[in-house]
Amino acid sequence: MEDKNYEQIYEEYKLQSEQQAQVEASQSNPDGKEEFVAVKKNDDGDIIAFKTSSGRELDYITALTEAKAGQIARIDVFHKYGRDIIRSEPDGIKENNLDRLPEF
């Protein structure tokens, strides 16, 4: 029976995935859609508004509507806790998560 280092195999897989995610994230936005570049949070740390790459400031509901319509790049909308929630595409890069964007 072959002795495999499962931990090493998995770590190599994760490293390759992270590298590919960096490449994909650095590619330009081919459709020219706006992206979220900053956020506004309330006192509880919840994101309540977004600033786009064109400088527009959107309240959460407007941002949600535009994201659902596919007008914002690299954003997903999912339904949880009885409501729709905006999140960045799960690309494995923590730095571009909405919660880590600068505040305006």
Side-chain angles (χ1 to χ4, degrees):
M1 185 168 169
E2 183 180 339
D3 189 24
K4 294 184 179 184
N5 185 337
Y6 296 109
E7 189 72 32
Q8 180 183 355
I9 293 168
Y10 181 72
E11 289 302 317
E12 289 173 2
Y13 163 76
K14 274 185 18 181
L15 179 61
Q16 290 173 350
S17 298
E18 289 169 6
Q19 291 170 342
Q20 182 61 31
Q22 291 285 352
V23 168
E24 290 175 15
S26 68
Q27 294 175 345
S28 65
N29 180 353
D31 298 327
K33 295 178 183 177
E34 287 183 281
E35 297 180 53
F36 293 144
V37 296
V39 296
K40 184 173 288 294
K41 297 179 181 181
N42 64 14
D43 292 338
D44 291 331
D46 299 319
I47 297 173
I48 59 171
F50 300 87
K51 186 176 222 174
T52 69
S53 51
S54 70
R56 294 187 310 138
E57 294 179 7
L58 307 176
D59 62 78
Y60 198 93
I61 301 303
T62 302
L64 184 60
T65 301
E66 291 191 16
K68 282 175 149 180
Q71 297 171 322
I72 307 294
R74 299 186 172 108
I75 294 297
D76 286 338
V77 176
F78 69 102
H79 191 80
K80 193 171 186 178
Y81 311 118
R83 61 189 170 110
D84 290 330
I85 299 172
I86 299 170
R87 72 171 184 182
S88 58
E89 287 181 337
D91 58 9
I93 302 171
K94 293 179 182 174
E95 293 77 23
N96 69 4
N97 289 351
L98 296 176
D99 199 45
R100 292 198 173 192
L101 292 178
E103 293 191 50
F104 67 95

